Amino acid sequence: MPQLAPAADAMPRSGIRRVMDAAWKLDRPVIGLHVGEPSFDPPTHVVAAAEAAYETGDTHYTPNAGVGALRSAIADKLRSHNGLEVSPDQVVVTAGGAQALHVAFTATLTAGDEVLIPDPGWPNYTMAVGLLQAVPVGYSLRPENGFMPDFEELERLVTPRTRLIVVNTPSNPLGSVMSAEVVEALVRFADRHDIWLLSDECYDALTYEAVHTSPARFDGQGRVLSAFSFSKTYAMTGVRVGYLVSAPEFAPTLAKLQEPMIACVNAPAQAAALAALTGPQDEVVAMREVYRTRRDAVMAALDTLGIHYLTPHGAFYLWLDVSDRTDGDVATWAVRLLENEYVAVAPGTAFGPVGEGWIRLSLAADTDDLLEGVRRIGDFR
């Protein structure tokens, strides 16, 4: 009997999905604080643009790299919001930010290459790298370093097989935002070791009391690949539109890779994305302010309960220290919390071993659910 490819069989299942599966099996409603799914619908003009595309028959193939008008609008956004001078030809429209990352990994990695990945970090990095038979190597983001990279550790982790470093700011799961100085230092680190830097900027529009800095601002050698998404900014998670940006000389190859992967992003979704970028942005601002209000309310509740946490300055997550109650196994504790209190959280170890003793709460959940969930967490040991 034929066997599946070893890399496919060995790919770990997301620890977040494990919690989701367990929550779906329960016989009563669960307060879901485990998923980064905005509690909003996309802006009405975004939905209307997709509907209009279907109604007018705009449902055919598009160029591999995406519709020209959307790529131009993305280039305008990158110039005004990210401080990047980018031509539309440097933009490849992808099926969400996850596929943008996969294109970047596919273009840069060969079997056995090593990839420096943040720990804690989004688990899909490890999964995607492993599928390509490359080797994920975690670099730690610890409280004693302010949850910022330890450059001495990074230097120790580099080997002749190191090919790429992943940088994620604002961070999922931490909600931390790297300063311009740290971002530039990471680019200089990549310069010194002649490796790629893949920048995941899925949450670039969601910052509070902090400024987002794109690593490509400091890239003079074309080594930074930048991945973005419409999912979180515009509450378009199921629409699946993102984009990947590279130096001009690499963009044609990245676009070419779209053909065997997805051919192209569906045309109505691109129409929705174009409307999102070129239409009014007031709903984006309003959603961000709701996340900020939720963050402040939850932090106040946690202060009352005496639970330590990292103050998030970006994204929509809160990173909580529950090590005083998990007995060194936060994944098992999270399952017990779900089964006893009907509250679903993402255990820190879903994001890497450094996450032991921590949990991630999603501020994308309803405010009342958040506060009730926090109350139950405070009561549970």
Side-chain angles (χ1 to χ4, degrees):
M1 183 177 188
Q3 300 295 308
L4 295 174
D9 229 10
M11 189 193 82
R13 181 156 172 76
S14 166
I16 306 169
R17 284 283 177 178
R18 289 195 192 103
V19 173
M20 291 173 68
D21 291 344
W24 284 330
K25 293 177 181 178
L26 295 179
D27 59 358
R28 58 179 276 189
V30 169
I31 295 177
L33 309 182
H34 54 309
V35 181
E37 174 75 38
S39 58
F40 304 100
D41 293 324
T44 54
H45 64 279
V46 172
V47 176
E51 291 175 343
Y54 280 111
E55 289 171 357
T56 59
D58 185 11
T59 56
H60 302 283
Y61 285 129
T62 74
N64 291 137
V67 174
L70 176 56
R71 296 167 75 197
S72 293
I74 289 170
D76 290 341
K77 174 264 179 184
L78 291 168
R79 187 176 306 109
S80 62
H81 181 79
N82 302 88
L84 304 179
E85 290 296 328
V86 171
S87 76
D89 289 341
Q90 293 174 248
V91 176
V92 175
V93 180
T94 61
Q99 199 243 329
L101 295 169
H102 194 74
V103 172
F105 287 136
T106 302
T108 56
L109 301 178
T110 56
D113 285 344
E114 295 176 356
V115 181
L116 299 174
I117 290 174
D119 178 7
W122 191 44
N124 293 39
Y125 302 141
T126 295
M127 290 188 280
V129 167
L131 278 178
L132 294 169
Q133 301 180 57
V135 181
V137 177
Y139 65 89
S140 58
L141 305 174
R142 298 181 182 275
E144 55 266 34
N145 293 319
F147 294 95
M148 291 293 127
D150 179 340
F151 283 90
E152 291 183 1
E153 179 196 37
L154 282 172
E155 293 291 346
R156 292 194 300 270
L157 292 173
V158 172
T159 76
R161 297 208 66 88
T162 304
R163 179 74 166 165
L164 183 149
I165 181 171
V166 176
V167 174
N168 176 215
T169 180
S171 165
N172 174 15
L174 301 174
S176 56
V177 179
M178 294 181 184
S179 67
E181 292 74 18
V182 170
V183 170
E184 182 175 15
L186 285 164
V187 177
R188 299 288 84 85
F189 166 81
D191 286 344
R192 284 195 304 278
H193 296 284
D194 194 24
I195 62 176
W196 294 95
L197 189 152
L198 175 54
S199 175
D200 180 358
E201 302 178 50
C202 177
Y203 298 92
D204 69 322
L206 297 174
T207 59
Y208 326 97
E209 308 94 33
V211 176
H212 171 69
T213 303
S214 294
R217 285 180 50 192
F218 305 106
D219 181 22
Q221 300 183 16
R223 70 177 67 256
V224 174
L225 301 170
S226 306
F228 298 85
S229 175
F230 287 82
S231 292
K232 315 299 184 178
T233 305
Y234 297 100
M236 293 169 60
T237 51
V239 181
R240 309 310 304 142
V241 186
Y243 50 102
L244 183 64
V245 185
S246 73
E249 59 266 36
F250 304 123
T253 297
L254 300 179
K256 180 178 67 174
L257 292 177
Q258 293 287 80
E259 181 63 28
M261 288 186 181
I262 61 165
C264 61
V265 174
N266 79 80
Q270 293 190 66
L274 178 59
L277 279 183
T278 58
Q281 303 297 302
D282 53 319
E283 290 188 57
V284 174
V285 174
M287 287 188 283
R288 184 171 64 237
E289 290 309 304
V290 169
Y291 297 140
R292 186 200 303 268
T293 300
R294 290 174 181 168
R295 178 200 66 167
D296 293 347
V298 172
M299 289 194 304
L302 292 169
D303 289 340
T304 300
L305 293 167
I307 298 177
H308 299 293
Y309 56 87
L310 170 65
T311 299
H313 294 294
F316 45 51
Y317 304 108
L318 255 171
W319 191 240
L320 273 63
D321 182 358
V322 292
S323 56
D324 62 336
R325 60 193 72 194
T326 58
D327 197 27
D329 186 355
V330 72
T332 297
W333 181 87
V335 172
R336 290 199 299 112
L337 175 71
L338 175 63
E339 293 174 343
N340 288 273
E341 298 292 337
Y342 296 91
V343 177
V345 300
T349 48
F351 306 96
V354 173
E356 181 58 68
W358 296 77
I359 58 173
R360 188 197 73 176
L361 300 188
S362 172
L363 299 172
D366 177 80
T367 305
D368 291 339
D369 283 348
L370 270 166
L371 294 175
E372 175 60 19
V374 167
R375 185 193 67 76
R376 296 185 193 181
I377 290 169
D379 290 341
F380 186 70
R381 289 284 170 172

